[in-house]
Amino acid sequence: MPTVHNLGYPRIGPRRELKQQLEQFWRGDLDEQTLFENTSELRASRWRDQADAGLDLIPVNDFSLYDHMLDMSQLLGVIPPRFAGQKDSGLDLYFRMARGDADQPACEMTKWFDTNYHYLVPEFEPDQEFRILSDKLFDEVAAAQAAGHRVKPVLVGPVSYLYLGKGRNGASRLELLDRLLPVYADILDRLAGMGVDWVQLDEPCLALDLESEWQQAYRTAYQAFGDVSVNILLANYFAGFGDNLDLVKQLPVAGVHVDVTHAPQEVEQLMRDWPADRVLSLGVIDGRNIWRANLVQLLDELEPLQQQLGERLWLAPSCSLLHVPIDRDNEIDLDDEIRSWLAFARQKLDELALLKTALEQGRRGISIAARDDVAAHAARAASKRVHRADVERRMESITSKMTNRVSDFSERSRAQVKALGLPLMPTTTIGSFPQTQEIRKARADFRHGRSDEKTYRDAMQAEIRNVIERQDALGLDVLVHGEPERNDMVEYFGEQLEGMLATRNGWVQSYGSRCVKPPVIFGDVHRPQAMTTDWINYAQSLTQRPVKGMLTGPVTILQWSFVRDDQPRSETCKQIAMAIRDEVADLEADGIKVIQVDEPALREGLPLKQAEQGAYLDWAVESFRLATAGVADDTQIHTHMCYAEFEDILAAITAMDADVITLENARSNGELLQAFENFSYPNAIGPGVWDIHSPRTVPLQEMIELLEKTLKVVPADRLWANPDCGLKTRGWDEIETNLENLVAAAKQLRQKLLTRDQNTGTH
Ligand code: GLN
Ligand code: ZN
């Protein structure tokens, strides 16, 4: 009979209990002991849920108070020197590394592969030592054992741990491997001493294209564990092994986990000459998406494999269930039909248990569930809510002409200068202004029927008036309405587009206590009516200056949603693009002359394997162009992206052909500008001059310097002055000062350029 297990379970709790506990503790409303007790109970309830669902092995140490990579750094004693040497409890140090403090910036945070989860980047020094520093892992194992569970501790493996970190002061990560391995071996032995028989070592870097040194590091590492006395399950996920497959076959481990949802073709390759004593764990249940599995189809595939593997066949979700919401049955607003198409973490465990039963007892053992399953899949495949003839016809009518602006940038920009009358280096912001307690309350009251539409509308309009007046007074050139009506830049559109739905409790951890609630794209996407024009038109009616229409781009809506699995992502993206295109057209028809279509998620959608990146960028760019290219020359299209790692996609960013792109730049201290030294971006660009993630006021002089530095790589007539990102999380005081400085910096530089031009003119 097969073993069913899980790679990891959501940490946040069905009611986001972890968030509440953490935030109370950080506010000082909870002491360490209570935090520990309450979160231990949350941890234990997750074990119980998984055991009740029928899992044979329960993952332990996947729970974390902030992040599993930070847990690894604490376990291995990797504490950056700026935090070391202060006497405080482990928990203090832990949260200071996670969140920074008055004196020290936090550890850098970055995206966990191609997910929307963020991990804390380990920092290594050249003389880095490793030692077991924290007991968290062992305490958790002991607690789970005491509760009667058969545990499988989960650790990030040594090679991925090093790979995902950063060497400081010239430290080479690869050179640290030899020092790190003995500590891992000690940990494994200590776990063996506790009676643990299986340990899961996560090595998701095996999903990347690896240089040969890193492949060699895998050989070195896993040969070094040859005589530890636990069984190692080497787990890879988010993509197939690709070119690392032969390497993986050679590693002396007791078992390998493969992400079958991403790389079904690799199962056959692995099965060829699979050693007779090795476990193969098949990640057949999609850990990244929320669709019900197709049990009957899976059984067709699994039955022959079981014949060959027998007891050595293990079944699991493709990756940790960290990336899906916890329980579909908490979705009381969903109608029964759509609910029956979905499976959240809890339901995915049930699916595993059903597969196990069917493989043990034959399919008759699950005949009722199997009948339901077939019916739900048939209903979804035939549903008119999923497939709409009007949308399909529209998709067929797309022509390449629709993805091209009428004229090229130089001609457009002349028309826009005339239409908008903007100065050199125009000033603007990225979209949002503070989402105060009152604004949130006004939205929540309306949503829950505690206030009527007029009250809500008045509150939002009052806020729009407030931000327009403030921007007018500050003298910004292109204004925004402030986005008070939006809870979230994707959910807002998800709620209004047909074919998409917002869940009530479908929270997923983004980092630490932060959670997001991705909408579900279940069917053909269609825009029944305008989504933003009322608010934007109202804002524009209050000022002579241009107000930006503000939309979220198709790639970002796709990337930050759960996406249907019955058609290619590119197709779904194009449908969203058409809906946004219609919104752009409505804004333009209403006289809005500047329209911003945000694409902050475009970069993170990049596939992990280089070979797949080109095709992705092609359709992503195409979708953006489809959404934006329908406007006249004198309508100015802006786009915005946050993260700093654009270097490798500059060609794609250029191909988007937005008139203006605003990018994060101040946070990375102008690093971005280097990229533009070697690559001349042809359209206008606004590299941020204010790091909005920091509460610090940027002195006028510093903004001027950053703009001057920028002027060396971007000509003045194609440069904009703006912050790094939206101002949703900042307070008004700091916003006023920083924007005053921004406007003043642009004015001074304009003056300087003008004088210089006049001088050169007379000589
Ligand atoms: N327009 C959005 C805002 O200002 C953009 C947010 C983002 O880039 N993530 O909030
Ligand atoms: Zn941003």
Side-chain angles (χ1 to χ4, degrees), residues 430-432 483 489 550 560 596 598 600 640 642 725-728:
I430 307 305
S432 55
E483 308 179 21
M489 66 186 290
M550 191 60 62
W560 289 348
Q596 177 172 316
D598 289 331
H640 166 74
C642 311
C725 193
L727 302 172
K728 186 155 131 165

Side-chain angles (χ1 to χ4, degrees), residues 11-238:
R11 306 160 182 158
I12 54 178
R15 301 273 170 234
R16 281 184 294 160
E17 289 86 346
L18 180 61
K19 176 189 182 67
Q20 278 130 35
Q21 293 292 317
L22 286 173
E23 288 174 0
Q24 279 180 40
F25 177 73
W26 294 333
R27 276 199 306 269
D29 295 344
L30 208 67
D31 60 30
E32 192 170 321
Q33 183 59 24
T34 321
L35 175 74
F36 180 73
E37 279 163 18
N38 294 350
T39 52
S40 299
E41 172 45 34
L42 177 61
R43 202 178 62 183
S45 73
R46 301 159 61 256
W47 296 331
R48 282 196 298 274
D49 284 353
Q50 295 176 85
D52 290 348
L55 293 193
D56 299 310
L57 281 169
I58 310 290
V60 170
N61 194 46
D62 59 324
F63 185 75
S64 174
L65 286 180
Y66 204 95
D67 166 48
H68 57 273
M69 281 292 279
L70 181 61
D71 292 353
M72 288 305 303
S73 293
Q74 285 238 323
L75 173 63
L76 300 165
V78 180
I79 310 298
R82 67 178 183 281
F83 292 107
Q86 302 169 32
K87 60 169 187 344
D88 51 20
S89 80
L91 199 63
D92 258 12
L93 174 64
Y94 182 79
F95 286 134
R96 284 196 290 117
M97 283 172 68
R99 309 173 68 227
D101 61 21
D103 306 320
Q104 301 300 344
C107 292
E108 190 185 323
M109 197 164 67
T110 197
K111 297 233 168 206
W112 180 244
F113 297 85
D114 58 353
T115 74
N116 199 12
Y117 177 80
H118 303 68
Y119 73 94
L120 288 159
V121 180
E123 297 171 25
F124 308 117
E125 296 293 324
D127 58 353
Q128 186 69 51
E129 302 279 348
F130 301 96
R131 68 194 166 95
I132 300 179
L133 182 68
S134 150
D135 281 328
K136 175 203 178 249
L137 162 70
F138 309 105
D139 291 347
E140 265 183 54
V141 168
Q145 285 173 329
H149 302 298
R150 184 169 167 222
V151 304
K152 180 194 56 178
V154 179
L155 298 167
V156 177
V159 183
S160 292
Y161 177 72
L162 284 178
Y163 190 99
L164 296 171
K166 273 197 178 161
R168 299 265 182 239
N169 304 313
S172 144
R173 291 166 297 164
L174 276 167
E175 279 169 21
L176 297 175
L177 185 65
D178 286 343
R179 269 181 253 169
L180 178 60
L181 293 176
V183 183
Y184 265 84
D186 282 351
I187 294 168
L188 296 174
D189 281 334
R190 207 164 136 185
L191 290 170
M194 296 177 76
V196 166
D197 55 351
W198 281 95
V199 175
Q200 173 186 323
L201 291 184
D202 283 354
E203 288 285 9
C205 291
L206 286 167
L208 307 175
D209 303 309
L210 290 176
E211 296 100 38
S212 59
E213 308 93 89
W214 285 99
Q215 290 194 328
Q216 183 52 42
Y218 273 106
R219 282 187 203 99
T220 312
Y222 286 84
Q223 268 148 21
F225 299 152
D227 38 54
V228 296
S229 33
V230 284
N231 294 308
I232 292 174
L233 178 73
L234 179 77
N236 177 48
Y237 38 78
F238 301 150

Side-chain angles (χ1 to χ4, degrees), residues 172-346:
S172 144
R173 291 166 297 164
L174 276 167
E175 279 169 21
L176 297 175
L177 185 65
D178 286 343
R179 269 181 253 169
L180 178 60
L181 293 176
V183 183
Y184 265 84
D186 282 351
I187 294 168
L188 296 174
D189 281 334
R190 207 164 136 185
L191 290 170
M194 296 177 76
V196 166
D197 55 351
W198 281 95
V199 175
Q200 173 186 323
L201 291 184
D202 283 354
E203 288 285 9
C205 291
L206 286 167
L208 307 175
D209 303 309
L210 290 176
E211 296 100 38
S212 59
E213 308 93 89
W214 285 99
Q215 290 194 328
Q216 183 52 42
Y218 273 106
R219 282 187 203 99
T220 312
Y222 286 84
Q223 268 148 21
F225 299 152
D227 38 54
V228 296
S229 33
V230 284
N231 294 308
I232 292 174
L233 178 73
L234 179 77
N236 177 48
Y237 38 78
F238 301 150
F241 292 110
D243 291 344
N244 304 319
L245 191 113
D246 286 332
L247 160 72
V248 167
K249 278 177 141 180
Q250 292 156 16
L251 299 179
V253 290
V256 170
H257 171 85
V258 52
D259 179 340
V260 180
T261 61
H262 277 95
Q265 73 285 359
E266 289 189 350
V267 177
E268 202 198 305
Q269 288 168 271
L270 285 165
M271 288 292 287
R272 242 178 273 145
D273 58 47
W274 189 247
D277 56 351
R278 195 174 299 181
V279 162
L280 186 59
S281 164
L282 300 181
V284 289
I285 302 289
D286 193 346
R288 292 284 295 274
N289 214 333
I290 42 66
W291 301 107
R292 178 187 195 129
N294 198 323
L295 294 180
V296 175
Q297 196 182 310
L298 279 175
L299 285 170
D300 288 343
E301 289 156 22
L302 290 173
E303 279 160 353
L305 293 172
Q306 196 200 11
Q307 293 279 312
Q308 295 177 56
L309 287 166
E311 300 252 311
R312 292 175 298 127
L313 172 66
W314 287 21
L315 297 176
S318 57
C319 59
S320 166
L321 296 175
L322 184 67
H323 309 289
V324 291
I326 297 182
D327 194 349
R328 176 199 66 194
D329 295 339
N330 286 339
E331 294 303 321
I332 44 179
D333 304 335
L334 284 186
D335 61 80
D336 289 346
E337 183 180 27
I338 289 193
R339 195 203 316 256
S340 75
W341 300 345
L342 304 177
F344 293 180
R346 187 66 186 70

